[in-house]
Amino acid sequence: MTLTELRYIVAVARERHFGRAAEACFVSQPTLSVAIKKLEEELDLKIFERGGSEVTVTPLGEEIVRQAQSVLDQAGAIKEIAKRGKDPLAGALRLGIIYTIGPYLLPELVKHSIELYPQMPLMLQENFTVKLLEMLRTGELDCAIMAEPFPDTGLAVAPLYDEPFVVAVPAAHALAQRASISAEELKRETMLLLGTGHCFRDHVLEVCPEFARFSSDGEGIRRSFEGSSLETIKHMVASGMGITVVPALSVPKEPSAHLRYVPFSEPIPTRRVVLAWRRSFTRYEAIAALRNAIYACALDGVKRLS
């Protein structure tokens, strides 16, 4: 059993395809297949079920893949220990971030990270929460910035900030001049939502469960639209197609001629944004440095957490 074989089975489990796994490992498919077959023979069990267009992992294979990832993490930790002896922050940090945080945090975060820790470049991946959790589990990412709640996967978690929600309405809308808006008042409006898969959509539905009813009559939301990004939905709101709810960091610093952002009245709905990483990840200084770079950002309108 070798680290190379373990790396191969982790890649196949991630890609669910031998060809793509071979490409990811920079080897030929026959080389990868032979190595995995050799490992299965050594262990006297099947790690993968081969059939159809997709490879599936057997129940015992799932346990073996998890252990293989742990072994690879520990092997990588040996190199990291050696690096830390020279520079604890040396080397890239692979950071994931969800779609509804990335556009509003990353530009300033990358700037501060380069200024403060030039020896630790950020390798960025923007994706859905469920995909980021999978990439953390398989070791494709070192850490991720996400919003709670998410499934308990045994990750280490550090809170970053609590972010209030804000209502975005067309400038000519009756609510545009209000000092605040209650969640109850939104029931009578046409609501524009992010599509399924975005955790912020779920956060909005928790605040106003009526949005999920897609009611066609006068009760609740009359009609619902789904967008692929907050910025797309904002443009739809500006054109008068409805209203939406956005996180505070997405509110632009410069006033818009077509949009108004109105705060919620008490109780103000919020989401908690956190930094998560595998407990086996040993670059503690890198995690602390990333948090410092995040706290160097303006973070207007949010409550910082220690």
Side-chain angles (χ1 to χ4, degrees):
M1 186 185 305
T2 66
L3 291 178
T4 298
E5 291 168 349
L6 298 184
R7 196 171 291 112
Y8 289 169
I9 65 171
V10 168
V12 173
R14 178 179 67 244
E15 300 292 343
R16 296 292 200 257
H17 190 275
F18 277 81
R20 291 194 297 270
E23 289 178 11
C25 294
F26 303 102
V27 296
S28 67
Q29 183 171 337
T31 296
L32 180 138
S33 297
V34 168
I36 291 178
K37 189 172 188 300
K38 174 177 171 291
L39 180 60
E40 288 180 323
E41 289 174 351
E42 179 182 343
L43 298 175
D44 194 23
L45 60 81
K46 289 289 184 184
I47 300 174
F48 302 106
E49 293 288 347
R50 302 156 175 84
S53 59
E54 187 174 276
V55 175
T56 58
V57 188
T58 64
L60 273 178
E62 290 279 5
E63 294 185 40
I64 290 171
V65 169
R66 281 196 295 272
Q67 187 62 37
Q69 182 60 62
S70 178
V71 171
L72 292 173
D73 285 344
Q74 294 303 317
I78 294 174
K79 294 180 179 179
E80 295 301 334
I81 290 169
K83 282 183 182 179
R84 288 208 305 271
K86 300 173 183 177
D87 183 351
L89 302 180
L93 184 69
R94 298 171 297 173
L95 171 66
I97 193 165
I98 58 175
Y99 291 115
T100 57
I101 297 177
Y104 316 110
L105 179 61
L106 282 182
E108 196 175 358
L109 173 58
V110 170
K111 173 177 174 288
H112 287 301
S113 180
I114 292 172
E115 290 173 351
L116 296 170
Y117 313 107
Q119 74 276 42
M120 189 186 76
L122 297 179
M123 297 178 64
L124 303 170
Q125 168 72 232
E126 195 178 32
N127 221 310
F128 296 110
T129 299
V130 64
K131 180 61 177 176
L132 295 181
L133 289 171
E134 175 66 14
M135 295 177 77
L136 281 172
R137 185 183 70 81
T138 59
E140 292 177 86
L141 290 176
D142 299 321
C143 53
I145 299 173
M146 301 178 289
E148 290 184 329
F150 47 82
D152 182 7
T153 56
L155 297 171
V157 174
L160 296 174
Y161 56 83
D162 285 338
E163 183 176 24
F165 300 162
V166 179
V167 184
V169 301
H173 195 283
L175 295 174
Q177 304 307 316
R178 293 282 298 277
S180 64
I181 300 173
S182 70
E184 184 70 20
E185 291 177 283
L186 299 185
K187 293 181 182 180
R188 298 182 292 275
E189 303 297 329
T190 299
M191 179 60 56
L192 282 61
L193 295 172
L194 284 170
T196 303
H198 289 276
C199 62
F200 189 72
R201 169 194 173 94
D202 300 329
H203 296 157
V204 173
L205 292 178
E206 286 178 11
V207 175
C208 303
E210 296 81 5
F211 294 178
R213 294 168 56 187
F214 305 101
S215 178
S216 59
D217 56 22
E219 296 294 321
I221 301 305
R222 293 194 299 275
R223 188 178 179 190
S224 179
F225 297 86
E226 293 187 358
S228 59
S229 75
L230 286 176
E231 295 309 306
T232 300
I233 290 180
K234 286 181 186 179
H235 287 299
M236 294 166 67
V237 171
S239 69
M241 295 183 69
I243 69 172
T244 194
V245 174
V246 299
L249 283 186
S250 75
V251 176
K253 292 180 174 59
E254 297 298 323
S256 166
H258 307 290
L259 277 175
R260 296 290 183 272
Y261 296 93
V262 185
F264 275 93
S265 53
E266 296 287 351
I268 299 172
T270 64
R271 67 174 177 179
R272 174 154 295 183
V273 175
V274 302
L275 179 62
W277 63 96
R278 292 186 310 283
R279 294 187 184 278
S280 59
F281 185 61
T282 57
R283 294 179 64 191
Y284 310 116
E285 297 89 350
I287 295 295
L290 179 61
R291 292 184 73 190
N292 289 338
I294 293 170
Y295 287 137
C297 299
L299 300 178
D300 294 332
V302 310
K303 178 183 178 183
R304 299 164 187 261
L305 302 171
S306 59

